[in-house]
Each structure stands twice: as C-alpha cells, then as structure tokens.
Amino acid sequence: MPKHSDEASPTEAVHNPSTIKDVAERARVSTATVSRVISGSGRVSKRLEQRVRNAILTLDYRPNQVARRLRKRNTQIVGVVISDIQNPFFAALVEGIDSILKQNDYLLLLGSSSENPQREQQHLRTFLSEVVSGIIFATTGEDTDIYSRIQQEGIPLVAVDRKPGDFEVDSVQVANEAAASQAIDHLVAEGHQRIGLIAGPSQLSTAMQRLAGYRCGLQAAGLPIDPDLIQGGDFRQPSGYQAMRRLLELPRPPSAVLVSNNLMTLGALQMIHERGLHIPQEIALIGFDDMPWASSLRPALTVIAQPVYEMGVLAAQLLLARIQEPHKRIEQIVLDTELIVRASCWCLGSQGTYSTQAIEEKL
Amino acid sequence: MPKHSDEASPTEAVHNPSTIKDVAERARVSTATVSRVISGSGRVSKRLEQRVRNAILTLDYRPNQVARRLRKRNTQIVGVVISDIQNPFFAALVEGIDSILKQNDYLLLLGSSSENPQREQQHLRTFLSEVVSGIIFATTGEDTDIYSRIQQEGIPLVAVDRKPGDFEVDSVQVANEAAASQAIDHLVAEGHQRIGLIAGPSQLSTAMQRLAGYRCGLQAAGLPIDPDLIQGGDFRQPSGYQAMRRLLELPRPPSAVLVSNNLMTLGALQMIHERGLHIPQEIALIGFDDMPWASSLRPALTVIAQPVYEMGVLAAQLLLARIQEPHKRIEQIVLDTELIVRASCWCLGSQGTYSTQAIEEKL
DNA sequence: GTGAAAGCGCTAACAA
DNA sequence: TTGTTAGCGCTTTCAC
C-alpha cells in the first residue's frame, strides 16, 4: 500500500529547496497544519506535530522567508542608515542595534550615506521598497522632509546619534554640549588658557552641540572666545589634519585642542607628529569618542567616551516598542558621556602633580 | 464620462503603499504593462508608457521588492558572513563587496560570526531561508561540510580572506606566506637576529600561512627557529597584549616582533608602552594590515598592507560571475601585499642609515 | 484540531 | 503591443 505520495526523486533534489507543500505531503497533513507547527501558533495534536517535525527534518526544510514576508503584515526587517561603517563609532552602533534585532528575529538592512544626503535618500527609498518594519537613521542633517513623509506613511522611525532639526521623532543621542564643556573645564583646570576646537560640519546636531559646549565651557571659565581657535572640519581624517595645521600656524597657537570626532583626531595627531611636537607638553589633546587604539597611542589619548553600543541597543528597543505601539508617546533619550583622562591632556604647569594613572579607565 | 475608476480616497492614503494594481488602474492599463515599464523589458508604446509613468509619479509608487523577489527566480540578495564588523579590516572588506553589489542592484545581508562556528552556521541558515542568490564568507575555519552542502544545493559561494581547508571554491585571498617572509627579510636586513612572532589561531588559513612565512623567512636567513619566540593569540586585542608580555618576559626577549593581525598589534603596543619600552630602539614592530591609525602612532607603524577593499570587490565580482555562469571554472585569486616601511621597525644598528621617509607610502 | 481556499504584490507565459 | 492568467511559498480566515 502507498506509504505516501512521494512524487519526484526523493534524494536527488539538486537545487530547489523543499517547500511547505513537500512537508505537508510527506507528513500527510495540510500546509496549514505545517504552518501552525512552524509558527507555534494554533493547536496541533501531538501526533500530527510529530509527523510534521519528522518530515521537516528528513526534507531539511527551511521556511522561505521571502514568501512568509509577503504574506504577513510585518516584514521583520529594519533599515539602518549611517554615514560610514568604516568609522568604528558607527560599527559599534550597528552592533548594538543588531544585537537587539537579532534577539527579536528582525533582519538588519544597512546603508551607508557617506554623509551624502542623496545617498541617504536612495537608501531610504530602498528600505521603503523592501517594506521595512522600521528605520533607524543617523541623519546627514539636510532635509527632514523625507523623514516626515516616511513617518506619515506610518513607518516607525528612530533618530540615532544625531537629531534632525525641528522634527519630532524617537531619538537617542548623547549630551554633547555637556560633554564638550566638561572637557574644556578639565583643560582649564589643568591650566590651559588658549584652547582650540576642531569643529564639525554645521548641519550635524552633534557638531553644533559640541561647539556650543566648547563656547559654554570657555565662558564659564571667564576665557575669551577667539574665532581663530575654532577651525572647522568635516568629521573625516584629512580635515582634522588640515584644521590642526591651521591651529598650529596661528600667531598664538593653542596649548590644548579639543577635537570633535574620532577620525579628525587621527588627522590631528598626524599633523602634530609631522611637526615633531610633543603631546602633551607642547600641545594637549582631547578627542571625542573612545576607540580601541586610543590607549595604544603614546601618550595614551584622553577622550570623551560615548556609550555607543548602548545607543544602538536603545535605538533598536525604541524602534521595536514603536512598532508594537505606533501611537505611544515620543521618547527622546539623552545619554551621558564619560571623560576618560589618559596622558594626552596634561599641561606643563600641572605636570607631575596630576596622576593620570589613577584616573585611568578601569577597563 | 468617467475619467478613471479612482476608487478609495485618492489623497488620504495613510499607510498602505500603492501597488502595481493601483498604478495599472490609474493609467488604465494592465498590471503586466506596468511591470514592463518598470523593468524596462518588453515593448511598450510611448503613449502607454507615459501614462504609466505619470501614474507612478502621482501615486508615489514603489515596487514591492518582497513580492518581486518571491516571483523571480533570483532574489538579488547576497549574504556575507565575516567575523566582526568592528574590525576595520572586515569593515573595509564589506565596503568593497557592497560597492559592487550596489552597482548591480544586489542587496547585502550581513552576519558576524565572532569567530564562532555556531554563529556562522546560524547566519548561513538565515541566508538560506532568505533564499540568497549567493554567499561570500570568511570562514571560521572549522567544518567545510556545511559549505559543500550549500554548494551542492547550487548556491554560489565565494571564500574571502581565508580559505577553508580542502574545499574547492572560488576564493580571494592574499599571499600571506610571502608577506610574512618579506617582513622577516626586512627585519633581518635591519640587523635583527631574534625575531618574535605573535601568531594566530591554528584553524585559520591566514594565521597558518603567516606562521609558515615567518619560518620560511628565518630559514632563508639561516636563523634558528626558537619555539619560545612564537607566541599564539586569537586575533583579538587582549591576546596580543598577553602574547607580547610572554615575549618580553623571555630570558632572551626578541629585538623585533611580527604581529599576525591588526587587533593583536594594538594589544602588543599597549604592553610595550606599559613596560615603558621604546620602539624601535628596544623593540621593533611590524604589524599585519594597514589601518587608519597606523600612521598616527608615534612612531608610525610599519605594516604589511593588504588590498582589503579590492579583495571585497573581487570577491563580489567572482560571486556575480558565478551566479551568471554556475558551471564556470573555479577561480582562486591571490593578491599581493605591500610592506609599508614606517618608523617602528628600525633597529639600533642601522638607525640613521635608513630613510623611512623616502619609502613612506605615497598616499 | 484540521483542511480547503483565498490571496499578499508581483512577473512571465500565453493569447489576442 | 497589450491583456489575461497562473502561480512564487506562505499565512490565515473560515468551515467542518
């Protein structure tokens, strides 16, 4: 008697993966039952369930996510646009996001904008075409239009790291202004009077907030704000190099410099080394973002550490929460930074009296 | 007379994106025609095409990729498994891959294995469920079984950076052995006699090839191979730190060390600084992989630079070629590295007689 | 508890 | 050149 209608070659299957129908036939049940077993929803008798599981195993069946996604309302895909995955900051951010998404069986689709609004838009369009369940973005800072349009279409959105201007979204960022002003405080306490800033592009909230913090810190210390001491960059390495050059070529160069992001710090270091200047004796340095290499430098770099990974985690959690509950109140999370004092920010005056070793990060 | 059967509210659409059917109705054509216009395949009269394009514009229609993917044979998704996106090496690799995929309208799905075969397998299963068109992988080095199974299912595969043992696949890697032995040659030429190696995990082809190159280089110079001078690491930063410690604590420590990868170099540097040793006078150093921070170090780091981005590009091209032509001959690409001599590898004897500036990378 | 059947949005035969 | 139609593999009413 027929065991089961095992049409087609049973073991020879070369390419076509088995489908839910194959499983159903082999287990002598309907596809609906197979689906129920897989998803765990709906009651299925032990007996049938076992038959289905066996069939799945012997056929090495893997549900086709593409088909499932088409059928279901929620695609379980999240789009993430950042500026550059080669920047360790964003790499860590993405890992944080991914850890949460993975836990919740979401897929992460990544797009790099290279700080180019056009590319950013293109990625967003791709995401919409992929019918993502939500989007996390570090805006390039130009138009908030596209975001509000996306939001109006009912697609959950979370801004991370940077805040788009006047636009109301769930967001996770860092207390940039406080961070920068704290760094200035520290430098002032070390005796520095002429403190330079390598600033970032004006369309980025982070850059502007850090600039504000710099100003604020100087004012609090009763120090003048000398526009010459503020040199702009674009958050990339070469611009840090150039900006540091301009600072060093000033008639009265600064004795300490705060750099607004990690890549520009690298550039600034290069310039300092090229000039043969000694850190921190001739020029003290504080950078934004702690990086794996910061403590391998000599002298080790004092940095404003951001809880990057955590930002990613929170952003993802915020997004998932919004997906679950589209009309919940908007949340704006602001995280604190930590000034990690290493060796690059002493100043001549206080040298020796100040033990950086003691304060050294307890990593 | 009816302009067109514009059922449902025209402008109020809140969430549901418009479908190909909406476009078809608005343009008073069949969905097939719309499809033809979108894909550019099949002849469509100018008149209808214009109507369709108008409809697409006014409805802000975006094709649903999920549906399209289900229907088409080729999903145009490529899965990529690497060990860690936070490692700049892999970040650059992924960018290289992505650049080609993007050009060809492929989507990149990323998975990090963290050098954990289990996680690698899990990502591969995900890829299969997503019905990817192909997979690019930097193997964790354990089982080649799963890969041959995937290959047998007819899914194109490309190995990148690392080669899985005895398994025949398209691959892109670097001439690791030659690279390491070249570095040793250089150190020997600088007068070093005791040269240490911080090696990598034995299951990775890259680590083994670099070890072989180290041995080969010493032998070529007629130097003995002292097992004490070979300290193992796991390609992560802390293990480089530990390994360097073991080397420095040797009764007769090395005067120069070659480190098998970038992260361990960072760890090694930390240890060297902690001991207050001077590079290169007291210990010379050459690292694998050039990194943005390598030239911001003081002294700038001598490295074996790998054409990482290019590796990614080639891997992606190989994969696309294999997708197009599944039965073409297997290609194994091996790229050359470049020893970039900076300041970390002089030795006392030759100091001053050797101009690293001149050889400095012409970046 | 289980199955039949409709259909997610799209493409690709096949007709006309 | 254009339209009709049949699914891609899955989930989900809706009956039984």
Side-chain angles (χ1 to χ4, degrees), chain A residues 95-325:
Chain A
E95 286 243 3
I97 294 172
D98 195 40
S99 71
I100 296 299
L101 294 186
K102 195 167 291 166
Q103 275 174 35
N104 292 272
D105 283 315
Y106 273 70
L107 216 54
L108 163 37
L109 223 50
L110 192 62
S112 314
S113 67
S114 310
E115 303 294 3
N116 178 341
Q118 304 244 317
R119 307 232 321 171
E120 185 184 13
Q121 285 225 26
Q122 201 181 311
H123 285 298
L124 293 173
R125 291 195 76 80
T126 302
F127 292 164
L128 294 183
S129 262
E130 297 291 343
V131 205
V132 296
S133 302
I135 294 175
I136 298 176
F137 66 100
T139 180
T140 57
E142 299 291 86
D143 52 86
T144 85
D145 278 18
I146 179 141
Y147 289 116
S148 52
R149 272 198 0 249
I150 292 177
Q151 207 176 34
Q152 272 159 32
E153 286 196 40
I155 295 169
L157 233 46
V158 172
V160 73
D161 183 40
R162 305 146 177 197
K163 267 217 60 184
D166 48 345
F167 172 57
E168 288 279 299
V169 251
D170 290 315
S171 66
V172 184
Q173 53 174 339
V174 128
N176 287 297
E177 186 164 341
S181 106
Q182 183 191 359
I184 298 302
D185 288 352
H186 181 81
L187 288 171
V188 169
E190 293 278 349
H192 290 281
Q193 305 271 347
R194 276 186 75 71
I195 302 174
L197 175 75
I198 298 185
S202 62
Q203 71 272 21
L204 299 188
S205 65
T206 45
M208 287 303 94
Q209 289 165 1
R210 289 164 197 181
L211 171 59
Y214 164 83
R215 288 209 167 101
C216 181
L218 288 183
Q219 278 168 346
L223 291 172
I225 290 168
D226 180 346
D228 283 349
L229 288 179
I230 302 175
Q231 294 293 337
D234 63 3
F235 271 13
R236 288 170 219 222
Q237 184 159 349
S239 76
Y241 181 85
Q242 309 289 3
M244 183 54 89
R245 188 215 307 277
R246 292 196 297 275
L247 285 173
L248 295 178
E249 285 175 351
L250 249 31
R252 290 181 56 216
S255 67
V257 174
L258 172 63
V259 190
S260 294
N261 91 330
N262 54 357
L263 265 30
M264 293 196 300
T265 305
L266 239 27
L269 277 169
Q270 247 181 312
M271 173 51 67
I272 291 172
H273 292 164
E274 211 167 272
R275 297 277 166 126
L277 295 175
H278 291 276
I279 304 175
Q281 296 87 337
E282 294 169 287
I283 182 104
L285 207 62
I286 296 187
F288 236 99
D289 295 351
D290 193 20
M291 295 293 129
W293 41 262
S295 49
S296 296
L297 294 174
R298 175 131 84 180
L301 198 64
T302 293
V303 296
I304 296 162
Q306 306 187 60
V308 209
Y309 187 88
E310 195 189 346
M311 281 175 75
V313 166
L314 288 169
Q317 287 172 338
L318 231 48
L319 186 69
L320 295 185
R322 163 95 30 221
I323 289 173
Q324 296 236 321
E325 204 183 327

Side-chain angles (χ1 to χ4, degrees), chain B residues 265 269 285-287 290 293-295 297 299-303 340 342-344:
Chain B
T265 305
L269 277 169
L285 207 62
I286 296 187
D290 194 20
W293 41 262
S295 48
L297 293 174
L301 198 63
T302 292
V303 295
I340 300 182
R342 299 204 181 93
S344 70

Side-chain angles (χ1 to χ4, degrees), chain B residues 19-20 35 61 64 67-68 71:
Chain B
T19 71
I20 199 172
S35 177
Y61 167 72
N64 181 326
R68 153 181 272 207
R71 187 59 233 273

